[in-house]
Amino acid sequence: MTEFEDLEGVGPAIAEKLHSAGYDSLESLAVATTGELMEVAEMGTRVAMKVINAAREAAKMGYEKASEVMERRKHLGYISTGSPALDKIIGGGAETQGVTEVFGEFGSGKSQIAHQLCVNVQLPPEQGGLEGKAIYIDTENTFRPERIAQMARAMGLDPERVLENIYIARAHTTDHQMLLAEKVQEMAKEGDVKLIVVDSLTSLFRTEYCGRGVLAERQQKLGRHIAALHRLSELNDLAIFVTNQVMARPDMFFGDPTKPIGGHVLGHAMTARIYLRKSKANTRVAKLVDHPGLPPESATFQITEAGIRD
Ligand code: GTP
Ligand code: MG
C-alpha cells in the first residue's frame, strides 16, 4: 500500500479504497480509466485523473525504446496445442503477452484445444509448456476434468497433479465473467499462472444483449473485457486463450456464411485468430486469419483419445 501512498495526492484513505477496489500495482492504476476509478473507487473526476497521472509518471509508462520491446519479446512464451502443425501456423503455440482466439461451429474442437492447453502449459519448456498453472473461465459448463485426466495419462503425467494445477470458475453473467477475469490478477501475482482460458468469450454477451438496440452497449462492454484480458496477459506474461462461436448469416448467399461473433471489436484486439473447420471423422482444419506478422496458412490436426495431435 505504501507504493500508492507515495503518489502525489494519495493518502492512506485513498490508497485503501484503491486496494479494496482491486488495484494492486502502479501499472494497474496507470492503465485504468477515469470513469473506472470514479465508479469502483468512488472518487471524483479530479482525484481520479490525478491518481492516474501520478501512477503513469511513477510507473514510467509512455514511450520505450524499440530495443526494449525487442528484449521483452525475446521472453515470449509459447504453449503447444499438442499439434506441431497447428503450433507452426500460429507462430509456435499460444503466445504469452497476447490473446489467441479460436472460432468455429459446434464440435469444431475449440474446447478440446482449450483442455489440451491446460495440460500442456504444465509441461517444461522443452516439451512445449511453461511449467505453469491454468485458469479456466467456463461460461457453458463444458469443462470436463475426466477429459483432462485422460489427456494427462496419455502423456505419462499424473492426472491428479495435473488437475491440482487447473482452477475452474463458472461464469453465469457477463458481469460475473468480467469480475472473474479481474480476480485473476490476485492469483496471477503469485507468478505461476501461465494460461487463462475463457470458453466461451462471447456466449453470455450474445444471450444477455440480443437485438440491434443493445448492440453498441454489448460491443463496448466486450471491448472493455478484451482490454482487461490483454492487460492481464502483459502484466503477468501469461497466455490468454478464448473461444468464440460463429454466427449464421442467413442474409448472405455468397462467400463464407460463418463469421465470428463480436465483429471488429474482437478482430482487431486479437493477437492471433484461428478459424476451425470440421473435416472427415476426427480431422479438423485450422486456418490462421488476420495475423499482423504471419501468413494465412492452414493446418490439419486430429482430436484423438489422447488429445490434440497432428
Ligand atoms: P461448441 O462448444 O459446442 O461450440 O463446440 P467446440 O468447438 O468447443 O467442440 P469441442 O471442442 O467440444 O469438440 C467436440 C468434439 O471433440 C467431439 O465432436 C469429438 O469429435 C471430439 N472429442 C471430444 N472428446 C473426445 C474424446 O475423448 N476422444 C475423441 N477421439 N474425440 C473427442
Ligand atoms: Mg466448446
Side-chain angles (χ1 to χ4, degrees), residues 16-274:
E16 171 62 41
K17 261 190 191 173
L18 292 169
H19 267 280
S20 45
Y23 296 96
D24 53 16
S25 64
L26 289 175
E27 287 77 12
S28 67
L29 274 185
V31 295
T33 64
T34 324
E36 209 177 292
L37 285 197
M38 288 166 66
E39 203 180 311
V40 299
E42 294 166 339
M43 44 181 64
T45 327
R46 292 244 312 270
V47 179
M49 279 169 62
K50 213 168 148 185
V51 167
I52 292 170
N53 284 331
R56 284 186 186 162
E57 189 74 18
K60 300 204 173 31
M61 297 196 34
Y63 290 102
E64 60 182 336
K65 288 186 190 152
S67 57
E68 287 164 359
V69 177
M70 175 96 158
E71 189 55 36
R72 200 175 61 238
R73 289 186 58 84
K74 267 191 208 155
H75 303 297
L76 284 187
Y78 297 91
I79 309 167
S80 170
T81 59
S83 155
L86 176 54
D87 291 346
K88 182 159 179 279
I89 64 161
I90 60 174
E95 185 176 307
T96 63
Q97 302 174 36
V99 183
T100 301
E101 175 198 8
V102 282
F103 67 95
E105 63 170 327
F106 69 93
S108 56
K110 305 180 291 292
S111 300
Q112 288 299 312
I113 298 178
H115 279 64
Q116 187 73 61
L117 288 170
C118 287
V119 176
N120 290 5
V121 68
Q122 304 185 33
L123 297 168
E126 59 277 13
Q127 291 176 41
L130 296 171
E131 273 166 344
K133 297 183 177 172
I135 289 179
Y136 202 109
I137 300 176
D138 187 3
T139 71
E140 303 185 305
N141 205 11
T142 48
F143 180 80
R144 291 290 170 269
E146 299 79 9
R147 182 62 170 141
I148 294 284
Q150 190 182 21
M151 289 173 166
R153 268 193 297 271
M155 300 171 80
L157 302 170
D158 173 8
E160 275 177 33
R161 274 190 52 189
V162 171
L163 289 165
E164 282 289 314
N165 290 329
I166 307 172
Y167 299 88
I168 318 294
R170 175 102 163 82
H172 301 282
T173 64
T174 55
D175 283 334
H176 189 192
Q177 181 176 335
M178 289 171 80
L179 190 72
L180 286 169
E182 280 168 33
K183 284 248 177 241
V184 171
Q185 184 57 37
E186 288 162 33
M187 300 171 72
K189 253 189 322 188
E190 286 163 28
D192 45 6
V193 174
K194 282 291 173 193
L195 169 70
I196 301 170
V197 170
V198 187
D199 185 16
S200 119
L201 178 71
T202 46
S203 63
L204 292 173
F205 283 88
R206 187 148 68 142
T207 47
E208 260 174 61
Y209 297 86
C210 54
R212 288 207 177 274
V214 290
L215 192 62
E217 198 186 333
R218 180 186 88 180
Q219 292 301 84
Q220 276 178 26
K221 197 168 175 184
L222 198 49
R224 283 206 306 278
H225 187 36
I226 307 283
L229 292 172
H230 263 288
R231 205 182 298 166
L232 272 175
S233 74
E234 282 164 17
L235 291 180
N236 304 290
D237 187 27
L238 49 77
I240 311 254
F241 183 82
V242 303
T243 71
N244 192 2
Q245 284 91 350
V246 288
M247 55 183 168
R249 296 270 306 267
D251 55 325
M252 229 174 97
F253 293 101
F254 301 103
D256 185 354
T258 51
K259 283 261 177 286
I261 311 277
H264 293 303
V265 171
L266 283 194
H268 297 306
M270 297 303 166
T271 311
R273 304 194 99 176
I274 307 159

